[in-house]
Amino acid sequence: AYPAGKTNTSYTIPNSVSEIKEWAFSDCSDLTNVTIPNSVSKISYGTFWGCSSLTSVTIPTSVKSIDGYAFEFCSSLTSVTIPNSVTSIGEWAFSDCSSLTSITIPNSVSKISYGTFECCENLKSVTIPTSVKSIDGRAFSVCDSLSDIYYKGTASQWKAVKVEAFNNPLKNATIHYVPNVPALSITTSAGKPKIYWNAVDGATKYWVYRSTDGKKFSYYDSTTKTSYTNSSTSIGTTYYYKVKAVGIDGATSDFSVSKGILCKPAAPSVSINRSNGKPKLSWKAVSGATKYWIYRSTDGKEFKYFDSTTKTSYTNSGAASGTKYYYRVKAVAVVNGKNVVSANSSTKSLFTSLAKPSVSITTSNGKPKLTWKAVTGADKYYVYRSTDGKTFSYWDSTTKTTYINSGAKKNTKYYYKVKAVCASNSNANSAQSSAVSIKATK
């Protein structure tokens, strides 16, 4: 307890104390502030009753309850923060605290007890959470300055709160419906920071705050949606965001937690096709990117860095024939000498094949003669023939790079295509060449 005859105006209760007895500091009229240790779980009945000089008190999160009369007649108490650990506040706990101007009821309290704030004549505002289901009689009696109630819920929820008799100041105050705090998440969209959150009951819009150091936040923009993409950003800078929900009468929620993300280039949008049988990746230039990193895999799971290019296409010319390869691409910006790398593109895959032959045609002794250059990796070539240029059927094969259609009929026009073939793996066979045609003259 506060030592008898002690004239010090502040007192720190030692950490060894686990319980403060009832009326322990009552009528200590010279006590101006007190610190309660984390070892204490309850502020007992009448603990600080009549401490008329007490201006501030620190209540730790270990405290679960504040008993009746605990701060009654603390006429100099201007503010007190009640932590969310407190689940109950007893009768007359803060009555006749005539200097108290505002109070926030913690989210864990379900009832404001009888006479809790009676005769707090300078109390102007009270913040009440949706956990409060009833307000007992005289809880706000003779609180003649009470003008604003900030209720953390909707009008229908407030209407369901049971308010007992002799609470006219509460009933006459303006009710501000304070939205709940948005639950904020962050990602990127096309390389730009994108924040999103749950819709908050009673919110008509949301205010977005931004920071580049995670400490000093400034109002940045407003939206009626539940997501916001910050298009005006610089690659290489980390941006931090907070959001407030705004109610119909302008009351705002507390800040959401802050979320930060490094601004990176957008991930490339990649397509894949064959170039002479080899995988060729293509993408559009990404804003801010100066180069692109290529990653390759043969199982679609484990990707390793493979190559880099400053172009917007890449042909894997060394890819083995008849093999399925998987690719991803990252865009890279260089900021202050450091690489700032995008997320992976989507995965693209392709079976490699032999290059399709480039065929020319003439006649040899009046018969059609096809000629092409050897295709790397080809073991033989399939020849396809048509007489209408539309429907081609397999005709013959050869290991050479020429083919004479000796059985062609005189004065008949023939069309041909050629395919390069890998004997060990048909997946590596090339596409058919372009069609060539000629009339047999003999």
Side-chain angles (χ1 to χ4, degrees):
Y2 192 63
K6 191 173 179 64
T7 58
N8 285 2
T9 59
S10 64
Y11 189 67
T12 299
I13 301 172
N15 288 327
S16 58
V17 174
S18 60
E19 182 182 2
I20 304 173
K21 296 293 186 179
E22 295 176 358
W23 308 99
F25 292 86
S26 64
D27 270 330
C28 291
S29 58
D30 59 342
L31 183 65
T32 59
N33 63 77
V34 64
T35 300
I36 301 169
N38 281 320
S39 52
V40 171
S41 62
K42 180 175 73 171
I43 298 177
S44 298
Y45 194 86
T47 299
F48 298 100
W49 185 94
C51 292
S52 57
S53 297
L54 185 65
T55 59
S56 66
V57 60
T58 301
I59 302 176
T61 56
S62 60
V63 171
K64 302 295 189 293
S65 63
I66 299 172
D67 284 355
Y69 301 92
F71 293 93
E72 188 178 23
F73 294 112
C74 291
S75 56
S76 296
L77 189 63
T78 56
S79 66
V80 60
T81 300
I82 306 173
N84 284 327
S85 59
V86 172
T87 60
S88 66
I89 303 172
E91 296 180 354
W92 314 100
F94 292 93
S95 66
D96 285 279
C97 290
S98 56
S99 295
L100 194 65
T101 58
S102 66
I103 193 75
T104 297
I105 307 299
N107 293 332
S108 47
V109 169
S110 61
K111 180 178 74 170
I112 300 176
S113 300
Y114 192 89
T116 301
F117 299 101
E118 186 175 51
C119 293
C120 291
E121 58 191 35
N122 285 304
L123 185 64
K124 293 180 175 62
S125 68
V126 179
T127 300
I128 301 175
T130 55
S131 60
V132 171
K133 305 303 180 186
S134 63
I135 300 173
D136 285 353
R138 310 191 75 91
F140 293 96
S141 176
V142 200
C143 293
D144 295 334
S145 297
L146 187 58
S147 58
D148 297 285
I149 301 298
Y150 294 92
Y151 180 66
K152 294 186 174 181
T154 62
S156 59
Q157 288 175 305
W158 175 250
K159 188 176 180 180
V161 176
K162 186 178 181 181
V163 180
E164 298 289 358
F166 303 106
N167 279 303
N168 288 338
L170 176 70
K171 294 177 180 179
N172 294 332
T174 300
I175 307 297
H176 305 276
Y177 297 103
V178 181
N180 290 324
V181 177
L184 190 64
S185 300
I186 194 167
T187 184
T188 56
S189 176
K192 301 296 183 180
K194 179 182 180 180
I195 52 175
Y196 57 98
W197 53 90
N198 57 302
V200 173
D201 285 344
T204 58
K205 58 185 174 181
Y206 303 89
W207 288 345
V208 178
Y209 294 76
R210 193 178 81 168
S211 168
T212 53
D213 63 5
K215 299 175 182 178
K216 296 179 180 178
F217 285 81
S218 299
Y219 171 81
Y220 187 75
D221 209 347
S222 177
T223 181
T224 58
K225 300 178 180 179
T226 55
S227 65
Y228 182 83
T229 301
N230 188 188
S231 56
S232 298
T233 54
S234 298
I235 291 172
T237 299
T238 298
Y239 293 92
Y240 303 84
Y241 300 87
K242 291 181 179 181
V243 174
K244 282 185 175 183
V246 184
I248 192 168
D249 63 352
T252 62
S253 72
D254 293 332
F255 279 115
S256 69
V257 297
S258 70
K259 296 288 183 179
I261 201 165
L262 176 66
C263 190
K264 302 176 181 179
S269 180
V270 179
S271 59
I272 194 168
N273 54 32
R274 289 184 178 85
S275 176
N276 292 322
K278 304 299 183 182
K280 180 181 180 181
L281 308 171
S282 302
W283 57 89
K284 291 183 179 179
V286 173
S287 178
T290 55
K291 56 186 174 181
Y292 303 89
W293 288 348
I294 315 297
Y295 293 78
R296 193 178 80 167
S297 169
T298 54
D299 63 4
K301 298 176 181 178
E302 296 183 6
F303 286 79
K304 293 182 179 180
Y305 171 82
F306 186 72
D307 208 346
S308 177
T309 182
T310 58
K311 299 178 180 179
T312 55
S313 65
Y314 181 83
T315 301
N316 187 187
S317 56
S321 298
T323 302
K324 189 174 185 178
Y325 290 97
Y326 302 81
Y327 299 89
R328 292 173 179 171
V329 180
K330 290 182 177 181
V332 184
V334 180
V335 180
N336 297 325
K338 295 182 178 180
N339 292 321
V340 181
V341 185
S342 77
N344 282 312
S345 69
S346 58
T347 301
K348 299 295 179 181
S349 62
L350 188 75
F351 270 110
T352 56
S353 62
L354 302 176
K356 64 182 180 181
S358 180
V359 181
S360 59
I361 194 167
T362 184
T363 57
S364 175
N365 293 321
K367 302 297 183 181
K369 180 182 179 181
L370 309 176
T371 304
W372 57 90
K373 290 183 179 180
V375 174
T376 301
D379 298 303
K380 56 184 175 180
Y381 303 90
Y382 289 164
V383 179
Y384 295 81
R385 193 178 80 168
S386 170
T387 54
D388 61 6
K390 298 176 182 179
T391 303
F392 286 82
S393 300
Y394 171 79
W395 178 254
D396 207 349
S397 74
T398 180
T399 57
K400 300 178 180 179
T401 55
T402 61
Y403 181 80
I404 298 173
N405 187 187
S406 57
K409 295 180 180 180
K410 181 180 178 181
N411 295 325
T412 301
K413 187 175 183 180
Y414 292 94
Y415 301 82
Y416 300 89
K417 291 181 179 181
V418 178
K419 177 188 288 188
V421 177
C422 177
S424 61
N425 190 340
S426 61
N427 287 322
N429 292 351
S430 77
Q432 292 180 352
S433 69
S434 300
V436 293
S437 63
I438 201 166
K439 183 184 286 186
T441 58
K442 289 186 181 179

